[in-house]
């Protein structure tokens, strides 16, 4: 049995609007997944913790800063079935502006209902998990990783 190794992170970004929460999805501008819509994500550097990687990727890909980041609490397998991706849910202020880097050429903020109709069916399990555990019910304070405590 081969032990899974952390390959990278997926950061599900949420912002609260007047009536709902919205997810951020980015459109890949090149490579194997060109044209696909994904959350923020990337590969961890060898000496980087998954949390540090998530914070770095969020900043690099979108220029956004989270005020709180939680572990997703759901396994995300990498396509090679050996590596694994660590999932996070990041909350940002609705006043921030997305500024994409070269890896993406478009972005969309989507309410839950739109995410279910816009994104591939295999993503629905993650959308539902986030909806149930981070939107309908608030995450537990003990599970919260405060960005400001680590990086201020």
């Amino acid at each position: 049995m081969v032990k899974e190794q952390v390959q990278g992170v997926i950061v599900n970004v949420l912002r609260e609007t007047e009536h709902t929460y919205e997810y951020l999805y980015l459109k890949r501008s090149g490579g194997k997944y060109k044209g696909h819509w994904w959350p923020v994500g990337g590969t961890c550097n060898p000496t980087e913790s998954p949390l540090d990687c998530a914070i770095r990727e969020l900043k690099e890909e979108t220029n956004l800063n989270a005020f709180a980041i939680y572990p997703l609490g759901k396994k995300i397998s990498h396509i090679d079935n050996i590596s694994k991706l660590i999932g996070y849910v990041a909350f940002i202020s609705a006043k921030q502006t997305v500024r994409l880097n070269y890896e993406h050429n478009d972005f969309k903020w989507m309410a839950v209902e739109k995410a279910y109709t816009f994104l591939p069916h295999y993503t629905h399990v993650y959308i539902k998990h986030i909806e149930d555990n981070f939107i309908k019910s608030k995450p537990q304070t003990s599970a919260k990783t405060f960005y400001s405590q680590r990086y201020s």
Side-chain angles (χ1 to χ4, degrees), residues 65-137:
N65 293 304
F67 63 80
I69 298 178
Y70 297 87
L72 176 62
K74 187 158 190 65
K75 182 180 176 177
I76 305 172
S77 294
H78 193 273
I79 198 164
D80 67 10
N81 290 322
I82 297 171
S83 302
K84 69 176 180 177
L85 300 171
I86 303 294
Y88 291 95
V89 177
F91 287 85
I92 67 148
S93 162
K95 295 178 182 180
Q96 292 187 70
T97 302
V98 174
R99 193 170 66 223
L100 299 175
N101 71 357
Y102 69 93
E103 296 175 74
H104 306 95
N105 58 17
D106 200 4
F107 69 93
K108 289 185 187 293
W109 287 103
M110 297 178 220
V112 172
E113 299 78 21
K114 184 171 182 178
Y116 278 121
T117 60
F118 183 80
L119 297 168
H121 189 268
Y122 65 84
T123 65
H124 294 185
V125 66
Y126 302 108
I127 297 167
K128 177 75 171 141
H129 179 79
I130 292 167
E131 181 182 20
D132 290 345
N133 295 283
F134 296 93
I135 296 174
K136 287 181 179 174
S137 63

Side-chain angles (χ1 to χ4, degrees), residues 17-36:
T17 64
E18 189 175 328
H19 303 289
T20 189
Y21 281 89
E22 295 179 325
Y23 297 94
L24 176 64
Y25 284 89
L26 311 174
K27 186 177 182 183
R28 297 290 300 182
S29 60
K32 182 177 181 179
Y33 299 106
K34 181 179 180 177
H36 290 243

